[in-house]
Amino acid sequence: MKRRDFLKSTAVFVSGAVVSMSALELLDPGEVLAQNPELRWGFLVDTLKCVGCGMCVKACKIENDIPLDANVTRTWVERYVITKDGKVNADTPKGALNGFTSKLIDQNASGMKKIPDEDITQAFFVPKLCNQCSTPACVQVCPVGATYQTADGVVLVDRTWCIGCGYCIMGCPYGVRFFHPVAKVADKCTFCYHRISNGGNSACAQACPFGARQIGNLRDPNDPVAKAVLNQRVGVLRAEYGTKPNVYYIGLSKEVH
Amino acid sequence: MVEQLAPMLVHGEIWTVKDLFVLPNEYVYWAIQIVLYPYMTGLVAGAFVLSSLYHVFGVEKLKEIARFALVFSFALLPVAMLPLLLHLMQPLRGINVLMTPHFTSAISAFGIVFMAYACIVAAEIWFVYREFIVSSIHRLSAKTDRSAYEGILLRIYKLISLGAMDTSKKALGADHKAVKFLAGLGIPVACFLHGYAGFIFGSVKANALWMTPLMPVIFICSAVVSGIALCIVCYYLFMGLRKWAARRGKNYFLPDGIAHGSSVVDYDHLRSVQEHEVKMTSKYLLIFMTLALTLEALDMIFRGYTAVKSWDILRNVLFEHDYVNIFILQYGIGNILPFIMLLIPGVTVRRAALASILVLFGVFMMRWNVVIGGQAFSLTFNGFMHYHMPIIPHDIETFKEGLGGALLVAVSPFVIFYFLNMIFPAFLVDKEEAHH
């Protein structure tokens, strides 16, 4: 075979192979399913039911090996106390790990603030956790791809690959990310992925004595969470950031971001 | 039971003081090292742009400082990466950025842009110094009684000459062309390197202070300002040192004394060169300062005028929480004062150098106010975080993210420059010119 012929037939073979291989790639069933999956995890928080006991925070920390005494947490509860002059007072002492046991509002460096009962027009609690956004800012900004979105919509962190630059922590508009004090990598709520993937419930939802937290499949029309999102007036946090969050709130107030 | 355990400090907790309503996971995660990162990259880019003014645009008056700026830019280069490494929680995994770059992230391209830029600067230095390298090889080879140091130097020169020993007129002309091309290519890459550092901040949509498309442009302008200022200060200092050494005949003190092969450094010549270069450069400094100040003012006016939701807390940060840092230290002492100092006619070398020191301080404060100021307020818009830089380290983290780490980063370029200067004398004067 002449060199010219050899090169010619090699070129033909390679280009032919590329075309047929790319066809296989196009028809990858995994990708087809990922574009329209049957499972998309979502979360429903009924703020009207939350009493701020902090059982969810404790359960989460124990289940997910976040040191109880460390001042970071995958989920937390905020308290809002609104007074007659329209002023909003909010706090979350230790992320409400021990619940709200005092009427004093924790203002951090500014100390504890006492609000007379008669001045209060309304007060309520709002649990927070990762929104498992459909277009997560944290995944976008991770320089090494250590944080990623699963096919069923949960954003996870690869602890063996995270370099700990903190860009995802900065990129998250909800402040749900932090550095794990022991693993020294970025950490966040996973909806208890290890539990829900095996048919279980998330630790916080299971621990909530009042059913304020519920996890479910947004693609299943018979799922109670999907039903509530469809049938009730629910809100999401910070929609203006375009992250398309998947934690829905019943009874969301304008003071809560 | 929970309360009885000893508190476990999380990253950022030790230097963050929270005030009012702050979310539990919020801390000043990006501390002094991230202040230094854009500062150092800015100096690299700025020094390079200064050297290119001569090489590309043929600003003859900047000839001497251009060569110094180029070598100094190269010395600064490895240090631009150092703060990033020191800041990582897993510094040993830093290489992952090059192994699995995730290109939707602004940080991921850093390695590639940085490497490309490093190659350009290294190549440019090689072409600029090629003639000198070849002549040094000839000179040192001819010498029979080489000292150990000269022997090592000869080996280094032989290695970096890459075997290109041709110094004919044609070859030197080609060198010249290559320098011009690389310097020209280097300007957009240097601007990209730094504009891109601005993009890293400007694209964080969760941060109300950072998110502005002007951020990369502001960063580029302040980078050029800081780079020129640093070159003026260092040129002033190093020339001062050289004059001091020349007058006392202590040339052994100078790292490039042996590479030069000459023991005579003329005092009067040094003095006139220094005056001329510093005065010329300070004019360019003024131009870029005007640009930088205008953009920063535009940014602030625009935020105040459009006054979106975040303006309430930003106004609080700008005019109360960080007022002294922003308006007194950054704009007052760091910008307006040196601006006036350079504007007053009859600028002397000493005044230009002093103004440049203030400019350097001003740009540092600008980086500080962007990085730390951007984390001074909570995502709730109802709380603040105060940053207290660790001064005395008591573990590796407080060293890295404290004064110790900052000083390490600040000193490194000078150490590198000292050794680099042994191989590439930054104060090299062309032979024909020295005779004038």
Side-chain angles (χ1 to χ4, degrees):
Chain A
M1 196 187 254
K2 277 186 190 164
R3 191 163 67 165
R4 172 183 281 266
D5 291 336
F6 173 73
L7 289 173
K8 236 184 193 172
S9 41
T10 307
V12 169
F13 175 76
V14 168
S15 48
V18 165
V19 170
S20 46
M21 299 280 268
S22 63
L24 286 176
E25 178 69 23
L26 280 174
L27 294 173
D28 180 3
E31 265 180 46
V32 174
L33 187 67
Q35 272 165 14
N36 195 9
E38 292 157 353
L39 177 61
R40 207 305 169 197
W41 292 110
F43 207 92
L44 184 70
V45 177
D46 190 343
T47 58
L48 304 171
K49 287 181 182 165
C50 180
V51 299
C53 64
M55 295 303 268
C56 49
V57 182
K58 239 179 232 165
C60 169
K61 282 197 150 185
I62 293 166
E63 173 66 28
N64 293 297
D65 278 335
I66 313 295
L68 276 173
D69 51 330
N71 283 323
V72 283
T73 179
R74 288 181 170 197
T75 184
W76 67 95
V77 183
E78 295 168 3
R79 167 169 66 179
Y80 290 79
V81 178
I82 299 159
T83 47
K84 281 175 183 162
D85 55 1
K87 217 178 162 308
V88 182
N89 301 279
D91 71 342
T92 172
K94 275 192 159 287
L97 173 68
N98 302 313
F100 293 89
T101 49
S102 162
K103 282 187 177 179
L104 297 173
I105 306 287
D106 183 0
Q107 299 289 283
N108 286 306
S110 295
M112 305 298 271
K113 187 175 177 185
K114 191 175 188 307
I115 298 173
D117 284 355
E118 59 273 19
D119 287 352
I120 300 171
T121 53
Q122 63 166 320
F124 51 86
F125 299 101
V126 181
K128 295 259 181 99
L129 68 165
C130 174
N131 286 279
Q132 315 292 354
C133 306
S134 297
T135 51
C138 53
V139 172
Q140 183 188 28
V141 301
C142 177
V144 295
T147 187
Y148 58 97
Q149 197 174 25
T150 60
D152 42 14
V154 177
V155 174
L156 301 175
V157 180
D158 182 349
R159 283 193 180 176
T160 64
W161 204 251
C162 172
I163 60 173
C165 67
Y167 205 20
C168 56
I169 301 176
M170 290 291 146
C172 175
Y174 306 97
V176 303
R177 284 177 168 256
F178 56 90
F179 280 126
H180 192 286
V182 180
K184 305 276 182 204
V185 289
D187 200 87
K188 67 182 279 294
C189 158
T190 62
F191 276 1
C192 284
Y193 199 64
H194 57 294
R195 288 165 64 103
I196 57 174
S197 301
N198 293 316
N201 197 356
S202 75
C204 59
Q206 190 168 7
C208 180
F210 302 96
R213 289 169 176 255
Q214 255 181 298
I215 192 161
N217 178 8
L218 297 177
R219 293 276 151 73
D220 179 2
N222 297 318
D223 187 287
V225 171
K227 267 188 187 162
V229 171
L230 283 172
N231 304 334
Q232 297 195 43
R233 279 162 287 177
V234 293
V236 292
L237 299 173
R238 296 172 194 252
E240 67 271 23
Y241 287 100
T243 49
K244 303 193 183 84
N246 288 291
V247 174
Y248 296 89
Y249 286 85
I250 295 174
L252 196 61
S253 184
K254 65 176 167 44
E255 292 82 11
V256 183
H257 307 296
Chain B
M1 184 194 87
V2 169
E3 291 88 339
Q4 285 163 2
L5 293 165
M8 174 184 267
L9 281 177
V10 297
H11 183 77
E13 198 170 0
I14 201 155
W15 54 76
T16 308
V17 175
K18 296 182 177 188
D19 192 17
L20 303 173
F21 182 37
V22 179
L23 298 179
N25 296 332
E26 282 189 290
Y27 294 100
V28 178
Y29 285 105
W30 282 3
I32 186 71
Q33 293 297 348
I34 301 297
V35 175
L36 285 168
Y37 156 63
Y39 191 59
M40 297 320 271
T41 20
L43 293 175
V44 173
F48 186 82
V49 169
L50 178 64
S51 84
S52 294
L53 282 176
Y54 164 68
H55 290 297
V56 182
F57 304 110
V59 184
E60 279 292 327
K61 292 159 184 161
L62 294 178
K63 189 172 182 176
E64 303 304 327
I65 205 166
R67 191 168 282 155
F68 161 74
L70 184 65
V71 177
F72 200 56
S73 170
F74 195 58
L76 280 164
L77 203 60
V79 186
M81 211 172 53
L82 191 62
L84 282 185
L85 270 179
L86 284 174
H87 144 81
L88 292 184
M89 292 288 279
Q90 302 282 350
L92 294 177
R93 294 185 193 164
I95 193 74
N96 289 11
V97 179
L98 288 172
M99 282 157 75
T100 56
H102 184 240
F103 284 115
T104 58
S105 166
I107 297 184
S108 66
F110 176 80
I112 295 159
V113 178
F114 182 81
M115 295 284 200
Y117 180 70
C119 290
I120 290 174
V121 179
E124 189 179 333
I125 290 184
W126 189 76
F127 281 115
V128 167
Y129 279 93
R130 206 182 65 83
E131 190 189 359
F132 172 80
I133 292 169
V134 173
S135 70
S136 296
I137 291 173
H138 290 318
R139 184 172 56 78
L140 292 171
S141 304
K143 227 172 165 184
T144 44
D145 54 336
R146 279 197 298 270
S147 67
Y149 173 74
E150 281 173 324
I152 296 169
L153 206 57
L154 178 61
R155 271 206 193 154
I156 293 174
Y157 280 139
K158 273 188 174 163
L159 194 73
I160 57 177
S161 75
L162 303 176
M165 301 292 282
D166 184 3
T167 51
S168 66
K169 213 163 184 180
K170 199 177 154 206
L172 290 181
D175 282 0
H176 214 76
K177 262 190 191 158
V179 168
K180 201 165 175 174
F181 171 73
L182 286 169
L185 181 69
I187 293 177
V189 177
C191 288
F192 190 81
L193 175 75
H194 196 68
Y196 157 81
F199 188 84
I200 289 178
F201 293 97
S203 64
V204 177
K205 62 181 166 189
N207 193 305
L209 186 76
W210 291 348
M211 201 182 104
T212 161
L214 278 182
M215 193 64 95
V217 195
I218 292 177
F219 263 50
I220 290 173
C221 287
S222 55
V224 177
V225 167
S226 65
I228 295 179
L230 183 70
C231 284
I232 293 181
V233 173
C234 293
Y235 198 73
Y236 172 78
L237 286 179
F238 295 155
M239 282 303 239
L241 270 177
R242 296 171 73 76
K243 282 194 298 190
W244 177 85
R247 236 189 339 207
R248 286 166 185 74
K250 294 188 174 173
N251 284 351
Y252 56 84
F253 181 72
L254 306 173
D256 53 338
I258 303 165
H260 264 310
S262 64
S263 52
V264 190
V265 182
D266 180 27
Y267 173 76
D268 287 324
H269 175 70
L270 282 180
R271 201 190 145 93
S272 73
V273 167
Q274 184 198 28
E275 282 227 1
H276 179 76
E277 296 289 319
V278 168
K279 282 181 188 171
M280 269 320 293
T281 316
S282 59
K283 286 196 180 139
Y284 284 90
L285 180 61
L286 264 180
I287 297 169
F288 283 104
M289 270 183 83
T290 316
L291 211 59
L293 269 173
T294 314
L295 281 169
E296 279 170 50
L298 173 66
D299 183 49
M300 208 176 282
I301 291 166
F302 193 80
R303 285 169 188 278
Y305 190 80
T306 53
V308 293
K309 194 167 148 194
S310 58
W311 176 243
D312 276 339
I313 188 88
L314 286 188
R315 188 175 50 195
N316 205 311
V317 168
L318 294 173
F319 298 113
E320 283 170 43
H321 188 273
D322 277 359
Y323 180 80
V324 174
N325 278 353
I326 294 176
F327 289 97
I328 308 284
L329 298 181
Q330 183 189 331
Y331 288 118
I333 297 175
N335 282 331
I336 313 285
L337 185 62
F339 198 80
I340 295 168
M341 282 170 76
L342 291 173
L343 223 50
I344 296 172
V347 63
T348 59
V349 174
R350 194 167 298 177
R351 203 208 301 163
L354 190 65
S356 300
I357 290 174
L358 292 179
V359 167
L360 278 175
F361 172 73
V363 175
F364 177 80
M365 282 316 293
M366 182 259 180
R367 309 291 192 230
W368 178 286
N369 291 330
V370 167
V371 175
I372 306 293
Q375 298 168 83
F377 56 95
S378 164
L379 286 166
T380 63
F381 290 168
N382 276 317
F384 298 97
M385 282 179 284
H386 304 266
Y387 171 63
H388 296 281
M389 187 170 77
I391 306 289
I392 299 158
H394 50 79
D395 57 12
I396 188 76
E397 191 166 284
T398 45
F399 172 76
K400 277 185 353 179
E401 299 271 12
L403 187 66
L407 288 178
L408 178 72
V409 171
V411 168
S412 310
F414 296 98
V415 177
I416 297 174
F417 180 70
Y418 185 84
F419 289 105
L420 203 60
N421 206 13
M422 291 179 176
I423 302 164
F424 304 110
F427 303 96
L428 183 73
V429 182
D430 283 351
K431 278 182 202 107
E432 318 96 69
E433 205 150 300
H435 291 302
H436 286 306

